[in-house]
């Protein structure tokens, strides 16, 4: 396995999606963020509002700790300070879309899942594998996966308790 540092722009898009999910009401997009994510990002909010820039910096720091842990014997450690970018410019998410009896799965859900998968893979190093923020992001990803499966047309079209024809 190798480890790389996620580019700032996709990481900012991921942080923006997390911010929106945490700041919106129950079941926005059709799934809830896990309690662990609210807990791990509590210092990324002012009053009751979470901020993507702070989330971006925390996600970046975990990625750097994983990278530094992986390559500690090969090179000097990378700085945990995230590059300054306009985090608000990068988005992958869209407002929810509804269909009969629930929310519609859209292509951006898959893109968000891939961003989460990439970050989780890059942080799956000994130094960060059990990091509480990483574990909370994995729960968030699992909630998104569950949403995608249970709201896909293939799943909705299957009848409960029946075998395939």
């Amino acid at each position: 396995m190798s480890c790389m540092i996620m580019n700032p722009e996709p990481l900012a898009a991921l942080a923006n999606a997390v911010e929106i999910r945490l700041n919106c009401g129950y079941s926005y997009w059709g799934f809830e963020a896990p309690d662990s994510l609210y807990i791990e990002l509590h210092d990324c909010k002012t009053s009751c509002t979470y901020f993507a820039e702070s989330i971006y910096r925390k996600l970046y720091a975990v990625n750097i700790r994983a990278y530094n842990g992986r390559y500690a014997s090969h090179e000097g450690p990378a700085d945990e300070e995230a590059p300054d970018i306009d985090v608000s410019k990068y988005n992958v998410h869209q407002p929810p879309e509804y269909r009969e009896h629930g929310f519609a799965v859209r292509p951006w859900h898959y893109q968000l899942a891939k961003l989460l998968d990439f970050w989780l893979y890059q942080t799956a190093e000994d130094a960060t594998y059990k990091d509480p923020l990483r574990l909370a992001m994995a729960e968030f990803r699992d909630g998104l996966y569950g949403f995608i499966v249970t709201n896909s047309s293939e799943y909705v079209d299957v009848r409960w308790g029946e075998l395939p024809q």
Side-chain angles (χ1 to χ4, degrees), residues 74-93:
H74 303 305
E75 54 189 69
D79 184 9
E80 286 188 27
E81 187 65 33
D84 288 328
I85 63 170
D86 183 357
V87 173
S88 66
K89 287 176 38 178
Y90 304 99
N91 289 302
V92 65
H93 63 278

Side-chain angles (χ1 to χ4, degrees), residues 7-66:
N7 287 330
E9 296 82 5
L11 191 59
L14 180 56
N16 274 314
V18 170
E19 174 200 69
I20 293 298
R21 183 51 237 128
L22 294 178
N23 286 334
C24 289
Y26 176 77
S27 198
Y28 185 75
W29 293 336
F31 64 97
E32 182 59 78
D35 289 340
S36 60
L37 196 57
Y38 288 96
I39 292 166
E40 290 308 313
L41 295 175
H42 73 279
D43 58 343
C44 294
K45 69 179 180 174
T46 302
S47 185
C48 294
T49 304
Y50 291 86
F51 290 97
E53 186 169 327
S54 299
I55 296 167
Y56 160 76
R57 294 190 184 290
K58 283 192 81 162
L59 295 173
Y60 185 85
V62 173
N63 191 180
I64 291 296
R65 284 196 300 278

Side-chain angles (χ1 to χ4, degrees), residues 119-132:
W119 185 83
L120 288 165
Y121 183 84
Q122 299 311 323
T123 58
E125 298 291 339
D126 290 342
T128 54
Y129 188 74
K130 295 202 183 269
D131 183 275

Side-chain angles (χ1 to χ4, degrees), residues 85-158:
I85 63 170
D86 183 357
V87 173
S88 66
K89 287 176 38 178
Y90 304 99
N91 289 302
V92 65
H93 63 278
Q94 301 292 320
E97 293 182 42
Y98 303 98
R99 60 168 176 71
E100 187 177 349
H101 305 298
F103 294 86
V105 176
R106 295 294 178 234
W108 71 264
H109 290 105
Y110 296 99
Q111 186 64 48
L112 178 57
K114 283 289 194 169
L115 290 176
L116 283 160
D117 285 343
F118 182 81
W119 185 83
L120 288 165
Y121 183 84
Q122 299 311 323
T123 58
E125 298 291 339
D126 290 342
T128 54
Y129 188 74
K130 295 202 183 269
D131 183 275
L133 178 55
R134 184 182 182 285
L135 297 175
M137 290 294 284
E139 285 185 67
F140 181 65
R141 187 257 338 253
D142 294 347
L144 175 59
Y145 279 7
F147 166 80
I148 290 170
V149 169
T150 59
N151 288 279
S152 69
S153 59
E154 295 84 359
Y155 181 85
V156 171
D157 291 343
V158 174

